[in-house]
Amino acid sequence: MAISLKGRSFLTLIDYSAEEIEALLCLAARLKADKKVGRAHRLCEGKSVALIFEKTSTRTRCAFEVAAFDLGMHAVYLDPSASQIGKKESMADTARVLGRMFDGIEYRGYGQERMEALAKYAGVPVWNGLTNEYHPTQVLADMLTIQEHFGSLKGKKLVFMGDARYNMAASLMIGCAKLGLHFTACAPKEYFPGDALVEKCKSWGRDSSAKIELVTEPEKAVCGADVIYTDVWVSMGEDAGVWQKRIEDLTPYRVTRALMEKAGPGCRFMHCLPSFHDLGTQTGQEIYQKYGIDCMEVTDEVFEGAQSIVFDEAENRMHTIKAVMAATLADAFN
């Protein structure tokens, strides 16, 4: 049966079947190939999109703006200081205004319920650029990157190291469960993903042959890993007071050269970025001055090493986001 996603929002991978996710990955690969050879693909000529950023981002903003341009669209960036969203105007009212002016709306911010209100009232596709609960566009980029490096997704083992309670680990677990990968969350037990989502993913995994496991021992977790994935220990918007406990709890889960060697030479390192792997950031300097550590979730040796594919992953944000917009705004699969 032909797949059509035209008119649909992209809020979480929970809403998408394995076949639909695979179709988006296939479209992203096609659009990436077009861009590499300079072949025009203005599939959404003349349309306009609004980009709402309550949380700032380098990759997400650039990916949406460049992708929109390549598709022939005009993009308008809205940050909290440039709009009345949540201050003088509710999300529902904002949605009804923007939905009459734009063909699609991206939202990057806090609670999932804010984005869902946009989708409920806008009358146009809404795309999740990140919420506290989910980050589906990042996972599409991750899956495309794994596919490019390994040739396939089915049966590959991805190990997420660190704080597995939030959007990145949750969305990776969903993506792996639907697409047939082995997902391992490696963390202290208090940092494991929620039980309800784990059970959902295990149920999807029964159809896809995916495996979902929660492990506390890093060396055990990475045995046979194709990908070791990590993320920052403190997310945007969290209080700085949590740093000390996170460092104490998660330092044993730092991705090091020894851990990569335990996994083997075929293993690849991934990170959604930004990463605290050296002292090249203001935050990194502040943490060094306070706690005396020169890296956090990953060592610089691993981040800059031959097994790291983080910048392939970062580039693929643009190609997969382009696929999502093209598929939901145009008949892009035909």
Side-chain angles (χ1 to χ4, degrees), residues 36-310:
K36 294 297 184 184
V37 298
R39 186 163 47 240
H41 43 280
R42 298 173 70 86
L43 303 175
C44 303
E45 189 76 58
K47 295 184 184 296
S48 296
V49 294
L51 309 178
I52 301 173
F53 279 72
E54 293 186 318
K55 288 184 179 180
T56 57
S57 170
T58 302
R59 278 152 303 284
T60 304
R61 179 178 178 179
C62 292
F64 269 101
E65 289 193 353
V66 174
F69 176 83
D70 286 352
L71 292 170
M73 296 192 289
H74 175 62
V76 175
Y77 176 80
L78 298 171
D79 67 23
S81 65
S83 73
Q84 298 299 330
I85 299 170
K87 292 175 286 188
K88 295 182 179 178
E89 190 165 57
S90 69
M91 192 60 83
D93 290 353
T94 298
R96 286 177 283 192
V97 170
L98 297 182
R100 291 176 178 233
M101 298 181 182
F102 294 95
D103 299 287
I105 302 169
E106 178 271 351
Y107 174 80
R108 179 184 171 93
Y110 296 93
Q112 184 81 1
E113 72 280 355
R114 291 175 65 73
M115 186 189 59
E116 288 176 353
L118 269 177
K120 180 178 179 180
Y121 292 103
V124 298
V126 172
W127 311 297
N128 185 348
L130 173 143
T131 61
N132 292 342
E133 293 83 3
Y134 302 111
H135 200 358
T137 54
Q138 177 66 54
V139 173
L140 282 184
D142 298 336
M143 293 300 162
L144 180 62
T145 307
I146 294 168
Q147 192 167 272
E148 289 174 341
H149 280 267
F150 292 97
S152 64
L153 294 171
K154 208 87 165 168
K156 299 297 178 287
K157 180 179 178 179
L158 184 150
V159 179
F160 184 91
M161 302 287 299
D163 192 343
R165 297 172 296 174
Y166 298 127
N167 50 20
M168 262 326 307
S171 293
L172 282 165
M173 184 167 62
I174 295 165
C176 288
K178 294 209 169 191
L179 297 174
L181 288 82
H182 178 169
F183 176 85
T184 300
C186 184
K189 286 184 179 178
E190 65 185 283
Y191 291 85
F192 281 170
D195 292 342
L197 184 59
V198 170
E199 289 308 309
K200 271 188 180 179
C201 289
K202 285 182 176 179
S203 69
W204 293 321
R206 285 191 281 273
D207 293 328
S208 68
S209 298
K211 296 179 182 178
I212 307 296
E213 65 176 354
L214 310 179
V215 179
T216 57
E217 303 89 0
E219 289 200 355
K220 176 183 175 183
V222 302
C223 285
D226 296 292
V227 173
I228 297 177
Y229 197 117
T230 193
D231 192 7
V232 294
W233 290 344
V234 176
S235 299
M236 190 182 301
E238 288 193 276
D239 188 274
V242 305
W243 270 111
Q244 183 169 349
K245 179 168 171 52
R246 297 284 170 84
I247 290 170
E248 290 171 356
D249 291 346
L250 297 177
T251 294
Y253 298 87
R254 175 182 289 151
V255 182
T256 62
R257 171 53 55 195
L259 208 59
M260 295 298 296
E261 288 175 353
K262 182 73 174 177
C267 184
R268 296 293 175 262
F269 172 73
M270 297 179 72
H271 193 305
C272 53
L273 304 182
S275 168
F276 296 121
H277 58 94
D278 59 14
L279 299 180
T281 64
Q282 180 181 332
T283 301
Q285 287 286 347
E286 290 170 355
I287 295 299
Y288 175 71
Q289 294 299 326
K290 192 166 185 179
Y291 301 104
I293 56 174
D294 60 5
C295 64
M296 284 171 257
E297 71 277 4
V298 59
T299 64
D300 193 56
E301 182 182 20
V302 170
F303 186 88
E304 297 290 358
Q307 290 169 280
S308 175
I309 54 175
V310 297

